[in-house]
Amino acid sequence: MTKSLHIIFEIIRKEFYQIRQDKRMLMTSFLAPLMQVFLLGYAATTDIKYSTMVVCDLDRTQVSREFISKFTNSNYFVEGYNVPDPREIDFHIEHSEASVALVIPPSFGELIAKHQTARVQMILDGSDANTATILLGYATQIVNQYAESVVIQSLPARRMPDGRVIPEPRVWFNPDLKSSNYMVPGVVAFVLMIITMTLTSLGIVKEKEVGTLEQLLVTPIKPYQLIAGKLIPFIIIGFIDVMGVLAIAHYWFEVPLRGHLLTLFFLSGLFILTTLGLGLFISTIARTQQQAMLIAQFFFFMPFIYLSGFAFPIANMPQVIQYVTYVIPLRYFLEIVRGVFLKGSGFAELWTQAVVLFAFGVVILTLSVLRFRRRLG
């Protein structure tokens, strides 16, 4: 037993030595995860601020200017252009100089003074449906708040309308509705998947390319010792990357970590079992590192991104596709990471996802090991 452990330790030491000597692998192992978290942390967000707006104020009164200020003071809109004719709006939107336009009719201030209904026109660039939907939501909220303030000001002193229903919303877990609080934990899971799967597949395929894997096969090393020695370094690197990306998510992007860190580390280990197994499986198919990257990207990374809930809500997918998402391991790990970060969830709330991840990890890793051993034979 001691001799077997010594052989595994020597293989692990050889792997770390090769990683240290290979500058590209070293950067991929430690620097790339941190860079990806920074880049995706800023890019993967649905918050839209300071959107350029075209204003056509045909009323030109104190009331209309006050109404426009509600938009420009919200940090969602910036008055980039002010045109006297509504027909000039088309040019700015068609040339992508503005995403939204606000048209105020000539009688706006007069209607407000008479406590009558006043209509304004919002024009949005629908070529980007997601952005248009978000901006429309912002604009609707601003208009509703302004309308409510006008109604309250028009009432007699100390009198409120009878029978009003006043909503008092309470947003749990993410009270500021910051999309980064939702997206950055997903980025943590996504980066962990990419790094561990990529490093495992590339590390083993590289041994094939340079011929050192065949040299190891003629030694007294047993298959399980070789596999353990190959996988353990990437497990260690995976946990180092977890600590790095978690630190960036919490301290740089200020995503609250309400759950226990040990819970997240343990459940991350279950997910790493799956990604290592997939990386080992890819190494049995690919003959070159380029093939390994293409296989990982098109058959694993892209489906996982689209079907895990990382980029698109699963509830909005067709029913058939929703069933397919149940076989995507990243779906369960995303629920775990976001639950621990935002909700403070523990094993009591996440045991279902943990069991499923453990089952995925054991099955995938076992099948990959058996296939790898057959390849060695």
Side-chain angles (χ1 to χ4, degrees):
M1 185 66 179
T2 304
K3 182 179 179 181
S4 177
L5 291 176
H6 178 72
I7 293 174
I8 294 175
F9 176 77
E10 289 299 323
I11 297 175
I12 293 173
R13 189 171 67 173
K14 180 186 75 70
E15 289 295 319
F16 279 115
Y17 177 78
Q18 289 181 337
I19 293 174
R20 188 180 64 182
Q21 294 298 111
D22 190 340
K23 301 300 181 182
R24 291 180 300 177
M25 184 66 74
L26 191 63
M27 292 182 62
T28 303
S29 303
F30 300 105
L31 186 59
L34 305 182
M35 293 178 59
Q36 288 177 340
V37 172
F38 275 115
L39 294 175
L40 291 175
Y42 285 111
T45 176
T46 58
D47 293 334
I48 301 176
K49 292 185 176 181
Y50 308 112
S51 181
T52 304
M53 180 175 64
V54 182
V55 176
C56 180
D57 185 3
L58 301 177
D59 189 48
R60 297 189 179 277
T61 61
Q62 179 64 31
V63 176
S64 65
R65 287 192 291 270
E66 180 184 348
F67 180 68
I68 295 171
S69 68
K70 299 297 183 181
F71 284 83
T72 56
N73 292 337
S74 66
N75 294 330
Y76 298 131
F77 301 96
V78 175
E79 185 180 346
Y81 304 94
N82 194 308
V83 297
D85 192 332
R87 289 174 293 185
E88 298 182 24
I89 292 174
D90 297 348
F91 176 84
H92 297 288
I93 293 184
E94 289 176 359
H95 289 76
S96 300
E97 295 178 351
S99 302
V100 60
L102 173 64
V103 181
I104 302 176
S107 56
F108 179 79
E110 181 181 351
L111 292 174
I112 294 295
K114 294 180 179 180
H115 310 305
Q116 296 179 2
T117 300
R119 301 181 184 276
V120 296
Q121 185 180 36
M122 295 293 303
I123 303 173
L124 297 105
D125 182 1
S127 58
D128 185 347
N130 184 61
T131 300
T133 301
I134 295 173
L135 292 179
L136 181 59
Y138 292 157
T140 302
Q141 182 180 7
I142 293 171
V143 172
N144 289 339
Q145 291 176 350
Y146 179 79
E148 184 176 356
S149 66
V150 170
V151 171
I152 293 176
Q153 291 174 4
S154 66
L155 294 173
R158 299 183 180 180
R159 178 183 172 186
M160 294 295 290
D162 298 332
R164 294 185 71 208
V165 177
I166 303 176
E168 294 186 2
R170 296 290 186 273
V171 180
W172 289 5
F173 311 126
N174 189 11
D176 296 329
L177 294 178
K178 293 174 60 178
S179 65
S180 60
N181 286 356
Y182 177 78
M183 295 301 296
V184 171
V187 171
V188 172
F190 181 61
V191 169
L192 179 62
M193 177 193 70
I194 291 179
I195 295 303
T196 53
M197 194 184 303
T198 301
L199 289 179
T200 305
S201 58
L202 293 183
I204 297 176
V205 171
K206 183 180 178 181
E207 297 268 13
K208 290 183 183 179
E209 289 184 323
V210 299
T212 54
L213 188 60
E214 286 74 11
Q215 296 175 8
L216 290 173
L217 296 179
V218 299
T219 63
I221 298 177
K222 296 180 180 179
Y224 80 89
Q225 296 171 338
L226 179 60
I227 294 172
K230 288 287 185 183
L231 294 184
I232 291 176
F234 300 120
I235 295 176
I236 297 173
I237 292 174
F239 277 105
I240 294 175
D241 290 338
V242 168
M243 290 187 289
V245 295
L246 287 180
I248 294 174
H250 182 60
Y251 294 106
W252 184 269
F253 291 101
E254 298 182 345
V255 180
L257 179 59
R258 298 190 172 97
H260 293 290
L261 193 60
L262 291 178
T263 302
L264 188 55
F265 270 107
F266 176 78
L267 297 178
S268 297
L270 299 182
F271 182 63
I272 288 176
L273 289 178
T274 302
T275 56
L276 290 178
L278 293 175
L280 186 62
F281 174 75
I282 293 171
S283 70
T284 63
I285 301 175
R287 296 181 179 179
T288 64
Q289 295 183 66
Q290 290 79 6
Q291 288 181 356
M293 286 297 298
L294 290 174
I295 292 172
Q297 180 177 355
F298 288 104
F299 291 97
F300 294 100
F301 296 160
M302 293 179 64
F304 279 23
I305 292 174
Y306 296 145
L307 301 178
S308 64
F310 171 76
F312 310 106
I314 295 177
N316 293 344
M317 300 179 186
Q319 193 67 40
V320 176
I321 302 299
Q322 291 187 32
Y323 291 135
V324 177
T325 64
Y326 287 109
V327 297
I328 304 296
L330 184 59
R331 166 185 175 154
Y332 303 96
F333 190 56
L334 284 175
E335 295 175 357
I336 289 173
V337 174
R338 287 167 174 163
V340 174
F341 261 97
L342 302 178
K343 300 181 180 180
S345 302
F347 287 105
E349 294 81 17
L350 300 172
W351 70 269
T352 303
Q353 291 86 344
V355 170
V356 174
L357 271 186
F358 178 74
F360 270 122
V362 170
V363 172
I364 292 175
L365 189 58
T366 300
L367 295 177
S368 299
V369 168
L370 292 176
R371 180 179 174 84
F372 187 73
R373 292 185 62 178
R374 285 200 299 268
R375 291 288 180 177
L376 292 179

